[in-house]
Amino acid sequence: MMISIAIDTQIEAVTVYTDRALVTRHGTISLTGTERELTVSNLPSTLDPESVRVSGKGSVSVKLQGVTVDRQYTTAPIADRLAQITAQIEQLGADKRRLQSQIDTIKLQSNFIQGLREKTQASFSQSLARQQIGLEDTQNFLDFIGTKTTEYAFAGEDLRQQQQQIDKQLQSLRSQLDEVETPNSQESFEITVAIEPAGAGEFKLELSYVVDRARWIPLYDLRVQITSKTIQLNYLAQIVQTTGEDWSNINLILSTAKPGLGTLPPKLEPWYIDAPTPMTMRRRSITASSSDMMELSAAPMSAGLNFDRLAVSELEYAAENVMAEISQPGSVVIFQLGGCGNIPSDGNPHKVTIFQDDFSCQLEYIAMPSLVSFAYLQAKAKNRSDGATLLVGKANIFRDDVFVGTGNLENTAPGQEFKLNLGIDEGIKIDRELSERQVDKTFLAGNRRITYAYRLSVTNLLNVATHIQVSDRIPHSRNEQIKVKLIKVTPQIQLGELGRLGWELDLPANSKTEINYQFSIEHPEAVLVQGLDV
């Protein structure tokens, strides 16, 4: 007789990748030696059956003989919900009947007042004409009739509105009742492990599988302190998952790897190229994108992680300790965060801190006087040679605890430099003015020459010395008949590509310096120069 027993498992660790997650469960059971199957039920529908891996260890040798993964469809229990909705419907029905009873009573009272008015109208007129009653008594009677008529009308309308509200609630509840009474199957997976225990003893089953609908992205908080010239880097991870399982108090691992699934490597198809015919050329251009994606999806995934369907284990039970650490096997980055994970399956972003670190930085100003009259501040720092790779991610940037904006941190390997843009600093002021424009009155060999000169004034309004890069330009000709020549420049520099000019200046505190350059443009008189908007 096949003896099958259910084993209760709990999630102990989750490795989150950029587009999925690896879930590891553990469960301990006391075996008598007669069991032949262990079953784990209610696993999420996002599970990939080809990724299931099973192993175990304990005080008794247990041979794992096979693993099957079956899809289950169950109907959610509805008895409690049915009873709740039915009780609400009955209560609202009683309330509606009570309101109807009050409406009927008010209707009787209103009819009585109406009848009283009709029956006494003639007699009151006659008595008033015979002076048997006075005007005051008549007025009191009319006030009584009017007040009661209005009172009953308002009371009846209020009760009818309450009835309408109850009707709406009843309609909603009856719709809910129809939905609950309609069979609604829920999908899940059940894993059955065939075992052959050597005898009685404790056995710990380890089960892992990959689930979809989980991902993480890096985020950064970067705080630059100008006085101390340091960058405080907070490396964060934003995790989102709707796998169908809540991850509570688990060992959380983040990885940039892309795990391969199954035991067979993908098939490498031939790589065809061809020359398109005129009739198919347009169609090829339209479908190229989707074809490329098909090729990519068929390509083998990187990182040598392989999830077998079956693993046989006959190990003695041993305690296992997991310590938080950062590792970088090859191009893969892994963050082991330890037991800090609490990520519900709600689709909301949840942030966890990977680590915090301080970096010394160099501050530098970047100025482009032809575009803006102020300088941009940049901070340059170098990642530690023994540090973790800083992955591409969105960064919130602060300058002396003042938020200055967001940016993207580029992928930065250990020992590599990275830059932060801190926005405009009004402590550096730059003026650019045209100091000379001279047109030669004589023509040399039929050519016309115009000379321009510019003056750049750079003022450091700060109380500290600063380093600044100043970039400007002179025109760059695309026509061989138009000649541009740099005549003189102070401070002296070499002309860069495409007419670029660049100076590296060290400015003392509260100081001012000038940059001057002069260039000429020479062209035939008949040639019209376009783009000379200097």
Side-chain angles (χ1 to χ4, degrees):
M1 179 179 179
M2 182 71 71
I3 298 179
S4 179
I5 185 170
I7 180 171
D8 185 28
T9 61
Q10 292 81 37
I11 298 177
E12 292 200 1
V14 176
T15 300
V16 186
Y17 302 99
T18 56
D19 60 351
R20 66 193 73 181
L22 171 65
V23 178
T24 301
R25 286 177 168 269
H26 287 162
T28 303
I29 192 169
S30 296
L31 299 176
T32 63
T34 61
E35 294 83 1
R36 291 297 176 263
E37 286 184 350
L38 298 177
T39 60
V40 182
S41 303
N42 297 322
L43 297 177
S45 60
T46 55
L47 177 150
D48 189 321
E50 296 298 322
S51 69
V52 174
R53 181 187 177 99
V54 177
S55 63
K57 51 191 172 183
S59 61
V60 60
S61 176
V62 176
K63 181 179 292 185
L64 306 183
Q65 296 183 319
V67 178
T68 58
V69 182
D70 297 314
R71 198 180 300 269
Q72 303 288 322
Y73 296 94
T74 58
T75 302
I78 60 174
D80 293 343
R81 182 60 176 157
L82 277 175
Q84 181 184 12
I85 296 177
T86 301
Q88 289 177 326
I89 291 176
E90 291 177 352
Q91 180 61 49
L92 288 174
D95 293 342
K96 185 177 180 180
R97 289 190 295 273
R98 176 178 54 79
L99 290 174
Q100 187 59 48
S101 176
Q102 295 177 4
I103 290 173
D104 293 341
T105 300
I106 289 175
K107 187 176 181 180
L108 287 175
Q109 293 172 327
S110 180
N111 290 339
F112 175 80
I113 293 296
Q114 183 66 21
L116 181 62
R117 182 187 66 81
E118 293 175 353
K119 292 180 180 179
T120 58
Q121 183 177 359
S123 60
F124 253 86
S125 298
Q126 293 175 1
S127 299
L128 185 61
R130 297 172 182 173
Q131 297 183 350
Q132 294 176 343
I133 59 174
L135 289 174
E136 183 178 353
D137 294 334
T138 303
Q139 185 63 46
N140 291 337
F141 181 74
L142 293 175
D143 289 343
F144 170 78
I145 295 293
T147 299
K148 288 299 180 181
T149 301
T150 302
E151 179 183 331
Y152 295 149
F154 279 116
E157 181 62 26
D158 181 63
L159 292 172
R160 282 187 289 272
Q161 289 181 359
Q162 293 182 46
Q163 274 192 331
Q164 291 175 0
Q165 292 297 324
I166 289 178
D167 287 337
K168 291 179 180 179
Q169 296 178 41
L170 285 171
Q171 183 179 1
S172 175
L173 288 171
R174 291 188 180 107
S175 297
Q176 295 179 35
L177 189 63
D178 291 340
E179 292 179 2
V180 171
E181 291 176 339
T182 302
N184 182 20
S185 61
Q186 295 181 344
E187 181 181 352
S188 63
F189 279 100
E190 181 179 82
I191 294 177
T192 302
V193 183
I195 62 172
E196 184 179 335
E202 294 289 321
F203 179 69
K204 183 177 182 180
L205 181 73
E206 179 175 307
L207 167 67
S208 65
Y209 49 85
V210 171
V211 289
D212 295 325
R213 303 182 196 168
R215 67 184 187 276
W216 79 278
I217 59 173
L219 299 175
Y220 301 92
D221 277 344
L222 299 170
R223 300 177 181 271
V224 180
Q225 301 298 327
I226 301 299
T227 303
S228 60
K229 295 184 178 180
T230 58
I231 297 176
Q232 183 187 71
L233 183 144
N234 293 326
Y235 201 159
L236 308 172
Q238 179 175 285
I239 305 171
V240 178
Q241 67 107 344
T242 55
T243 63
E245 294 180 316
D246 291 335
W247 303 337
S248 301
N249 300 319
I250 48 94
N251 290 322
L252 184 62
I253 303 172
L254 307 175
S255 174
T256 61
K258 293 186 180 297
L261 303 180
T263 57
L264 296 177
K267 183 179 179 181
L268 187 62
E269 299 290 346
W271 182 357
Y272 296 107
I273 61 173
D274 199 354
T277 62
M279 293 182 61
T280 62
M281 186 174 297
R282 176 172 173 79
R283 180 182 177 188
R284 176 67 175 175
S285 65
I286 296 175
T287 59
S289 178
S290 59
S291 300
D292 292 343
M293 292 186 67
M294 292 178 64
E295 291 291 337
L296 286 172
S297 64
M301 295 207 177
S302 63
L305 299 180
N306 182 32
F307 300 103
D308 300 323
R309 291 200 64 192
L310 176 63
V312 177
S313 176
E314 297 181 17
L315 302 176
E316 292 299 315
Y317 179 82
E320 299 180 17
N321 295 321
V322 178
M323 297 182 64
E325 61 180 16
I326 301 172
S327 59
Q328 296 180 202
S331 61
V332 175
V333 181
I334 299 174
F335 301 105
Q336 299 187 23
L337 303 181
C340 65
N342 188 11
I343 315 297
S345 178
D346 57 6
N348 294 321
H350 299 272
K351 294 181 182 179
V352 296
T353 300
I354 298 176
F355 69 83
Q356 296 178 342
D357 203 353
D358 292 335
F359 300 87
S360 59
C361 66
Q362 294 179 349
L363 300 177
E364 184 176 68
Y365 288 90
I366 307 296
M368 288 159 283
S370 61
L371 302 179
V372 65
S373 59
F374 294 100
Y376 288 82
L377 179 60
Q378 282 187 343
K380 294 194 300 184
K382 182 178 288 188
N383 194 5
R384 301 185 188 280
S385 58
D386 58 348
T389 296
L390 305 179
L391 303 173
V392 176
K394 183 180 178 181
N396 294 320
I397 302 174
F398 298 82
R399 176 181 169 185
D400 287 334
D401 298 323
V402 175
F403 178 73
V404 296
T406 60
N408 289 319
L409 188 66
E410 300 297 328
N411 192 86
T412 308
Q416 189 175 0
E417 187 179 83
F418 62 93
K419 295 181 180 180
L420 298 181
N421 294 308
L422 304 177
I424 289 177
D425 190 329
E426 297 182 359
I428 303 294
K429 182 175 176 56
I430 301 177
D431 293 319
R432 180 178 185 262
E433 61 176 333
L434 179 65
S435 59
E436 178 186 354
R437 183 181 185 275
Q438 181 178 344
V439 180
D440 288 355
K441 296 181 180 179
T442 60
F443 295 93
L444 302 176
N447 288 341
R448 183 185 185 186
R449 184 170 62 187
I450 309 174
T451 303
Y452 295 89
Y454 279 87
R455 180 185 299 112
L456 309 180
S457 299
V458 185
T459 304
N460 180 11
L461 303 175
L462 304 173
N463 294 324
V464 294
T466 60
H467 180 79
I468 183 170
Q469 290 183 7
V470 181
S471 299
D472 212 331
R473 61 191 176 180
I474 65 173
H476 176 72
S477 175
R478 292 182 174 181
N479 189 312
E480 62 181 8
Q481 293 182 290
I482 304 174
K483 307 295 184 182
V484 180
K485 182 181 179 181
L486 180 63
I487 301 174
K488 62 180 179 180
V489 56
T490 306
Q492 187 67 40
I493 60 169
Q494 295 295 323
L495 179 63
E497 295 181 354
L498 302 178
R500 291 190 174 92
L501 304 172
W503 295 267
E504 298 276 348
L505 304 177
D506 290 311
L507 299 180
N510 299 302
S511 65
K512 179 179 180 180
T513 189
E514 287 189 354
I515 297 173
N516 292 275
Y517 63 90
Q518 185 183 52
F519 62 92
S520 65
I521 300 174
E522 187 173 327
H523 61 90
E525 183 181 5
V527 174
L528 177 65
V529 180
Q530 294 181 338
L532 196 58
D533 51 348
V534 293

